[in-house]
């Protein structure tokens, strides 16, 4: 048994002052330190610096590790130029993305307090890094492919990758499935894969209605995607509408990424079907995709970094600060609290992980942050956490310390 004490503990009942948590691989009890020490006299005591706050480990539900070598290669500013640059440089970027770079990316997340993440895997190249990293990983094997002639080969490759990611429970890996996007996956393959995910209870994720170009293409067979599809695929119209695509997921809660261009009706439908959204503010800004109106959402949403293919860091604190700036008209303190929920309890619920809350029986995943001074008002701790933290002071996963 271990006991960790902190000035403040973030619990579902609010911030507890001068309490401690007794834990093994899971959380046993939360009580004042003296009470726990009396009850567990042999427990190892872990102290934290003054003005520290104990949070459940943070969760980044959407990241692409395979693109981690990008810094000054991909074109930011607008989605279609970015997409052309991905196609031009994909081989170079993935070849340049070795084990060392992907492990560094995992470490960068760990230092920012991320104890679980959802990895969208295009090729399966990051599996080894995900096995080695201490974090929990939901490993979303991505399917992408629209040309009926190639579908069988692509599907066989997808199945092979999915199989390889199964059987790593001891490495804290949960195999999952990702559909790339409505414009890039053939409807027949889509139905097949959604069925497979449902039957095997795999977590399911998809990029959805990310850019204005995607909206114009799906709605009107027009816009910047038109010349793209004509040139690369000899295709003059999409094979699906947004509505048809979304309906395929009915009855199986799916984690949709971006949704910046989704309309009210679509969002209402997603909510009704029990789906959730990964909100990636910096990626959306860098690819010119617009703002997700999080104040209007009636479904659970997480805050995620996306990959270094559309971001500059994988620090969740950088993402939180960007979100504060992007949603300028939402009241600041309540926004900060919502964002902390987005990377803890919401994210855990979305990825079906038994962590994300400091309460008995949850997995003992913790992130300790240290404020520069004593917080004058408890209700402002989420905001001060976001504003003042560059890196976590301590990080625990399943009861073991990693930072
Ligand atoms: O989320 C961002 C932007 N939207 C779509 N795809 C990606 C993102 N970062 C990386 N990707 C990957 C995607 O998984 O790009 C590849 C796919 O495998 C090529 S198609 C854009
Ligand atoms: Fe993404």
């Amino acid at each position: 048994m271990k006991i960790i004490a902190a000035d403040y503990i973030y619990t579902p009942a609010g911030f507890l002052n001068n309490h401690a948590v007794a834990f093994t691989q899971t959380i046993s009890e939360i009580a004042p330190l003296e009470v726990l020490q009396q009850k567990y006299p042999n427990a190892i005591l872990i102290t934290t610096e003054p003005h520290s706050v104990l949070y459940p480990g943070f969760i980044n539900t959407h990241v692409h590790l395979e693109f981690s070598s990008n810094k000054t290669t991909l074109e930011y500013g607008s989605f279609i130029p970015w997409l052309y640059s991905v196609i031009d440089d994909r081989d170079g970027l993935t070849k340049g993305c070795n084990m060392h770079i992907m492990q560094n990316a995992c470490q960068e997340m760990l230092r920012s307090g991320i104890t679980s993440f959802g990895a969208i895997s295009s090729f399966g190249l990051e599996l080894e890094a995900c096995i080695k990293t201490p974090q929990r990983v939901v490993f979303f094997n991505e399917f992408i492919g629209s040309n009926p002639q190639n579908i069988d080969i692509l599907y066989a490759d997808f199945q092979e990758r999915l199989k390889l990611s199964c059987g790593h429970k001891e490495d804290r890996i949960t195999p999952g499935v990702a559909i790339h996007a409505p414009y890039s996956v053939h409807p027949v393959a889509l139905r097949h894969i959604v069925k497979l995910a449902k039957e095997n209870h795999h977590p399911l994720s998809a990029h959805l209605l990310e850019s204005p170009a995607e909206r114009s293409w799906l709605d009107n067979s027009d816009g910047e995607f038109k010349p793209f599809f004509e040139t690369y695929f000899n295709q003059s119209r999409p094979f699906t509408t947004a509505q048809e695509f979304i309906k395929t997921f009915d009855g199986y809660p799916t984690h949709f990424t971006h949704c910046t261009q989704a309309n009210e009706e679509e969002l209402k439908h997603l909510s009704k079907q029990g789906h959730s959204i990964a909100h990636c503010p910096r990626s959306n800004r860098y690819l010119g995709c617009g703002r997700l109106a999080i104040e209007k959402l009636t479904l659970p949403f997480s805050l995620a970094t996306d990959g270094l293919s559309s971001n500059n860091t994988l620090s969740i604190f950088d993402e939180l600060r960007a979100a504060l700036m992007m949603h300028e008209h939402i009241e600041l303190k309540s926004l900060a609290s919502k964002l902390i929920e987005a990377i803890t309890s919401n994210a855990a619920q979305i990825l079906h992980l038994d962590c994300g809350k400091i309460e008995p029986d949850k997995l003992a995943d913790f992130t300790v942050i240290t404020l520069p001074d004593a917080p004058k008002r408890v209700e402002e701790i989420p905001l001060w956490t976001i504003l003042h933290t560059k890196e976590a002071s301590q990080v625990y996963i399943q009861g073991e310390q990693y930072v």
Side-chain angles (χ1 to χ4, degrees), residues 63 66 119-126 139-143 161:
V63 59
E66 288 162 314
I120 309 299
S121 176
S122 307
F123 317 103
L125 303 173
E126 74 283 63
F139 197 86
F140 288 106
N141 295 281
E142 181 184 72
F143 183 87
R161 288 183 281 121

Side-chain angles (χ1 to χ4, degrees), residues 97-313:
C97 191
N98 54 34
M99 195 48 195
H100 177 70
I101 287 180
M102 290 189 277
Q103 281 184 306
N104 269 350
C106 295
Q107 281 296 317
E108 186 191 4
M109 287 197 273
L110 191 67
R111 284 194 305 273
S112 84
I114 294 172
T115 55
S116 301
F117 59 83
I120 309 299
S121 176
S122 307
F123 317 103
L125 303 173
E126 74 283 63
L127 181 59
E128 203 184 326
C130 291
I131 290 171
K132 287 197 172 137
T133 201
Q135 286 122 321
R136 291 174 209 293
V137 182
V138 178
F139 197 86
F140 288 106
N141 295 281
E142 181 184 72
F143 183 87
I144 184 168
S146 50
N147 185 346
Q149 283 174 338
N150 299 335
I151 292 262
D152 286 345
I153 298 169
L154 293 170
Y155 187 72
D157 172 70
F158 159 79
Q159 271 192 312
E160 186 59 30
R161 288 183 281 121
L162 177 60
K163 210 167 114 194
L164 282 174
S165 68
C166 292
H168 289 285
K169 212 172 167 194
E170 71 282 9
D171 304 311
R172 304 189 187 116
I173 291 185
T174 309
V177 171
I179 297 291
H180 177 249
Y183 55 84
S184 59
V185 174
H186 195 279
V188 175
L190 171 66
R191 281 194 293 274
H192 204 72
I193 292 167
V194 171
K195 189 164 166 266
L196 173 131
K198 259 188 203 176
E199 284 169 359
N200 295 285
H201 309 286
H202 289 312
L204 183 58
S205 186
H207 293 99
L208 175 65
L209 292 166
E210 177 176 8
S211 61
E214 180 177 344
R215 187 82 261 182
S216 311
W217 174 244
L218 296 177
D219 290 353
N220 309 313
S221 315
D222 208 353
E224 282 181 283
F225 259 120
K226 196 178 171 68
F228 174 86
F229 274 102
E230 280 172 350
T231 313
Y232 283 99
F233 299 98
N234 197 20
Q235 192 188 326
S236 59
R237 50 181 53 252
F239 2 70
T240 188
T241 62
Q243 201 190 3
E244 264 170 16
F245 180 81
I246 293 169
K247 265 195 83 59
T248 319
F249 299 84
D250 279 6
Y252 195 65
T254 300
H255 193 37
F256 289 105
T257 306
H258 306 308
C259 301
T260 35
Q261 301 300 320
N263 61 35
E264 259 177 53
E265 204 183 319
E266 287 155 348
L267 290 172
K268 215 167 110 191
H269 186 84
L270 295 184
S271 173
K272 230 167 121 184
Q273 291 296 326
H275 300 312
S276 58
I277 293 179
H279 171 43
C280 306
R282 282 188 295 169
S283 172
N284 295 156
R285 173 69 179 109
Y286 297 160
L287 303 192
C289 290
R291 183 187 79 94
L292 175 71
I294 54 172
E295 67 279 10
K296 289 192 183 149
L297 297 180
T298 57
L299 45 67
F301 72 89
S302 66
L303 179 83
T305 59
D306 216 339
L308 289 169
S309 32
S310 55
N311 213 333
N312 55 322
T313 75

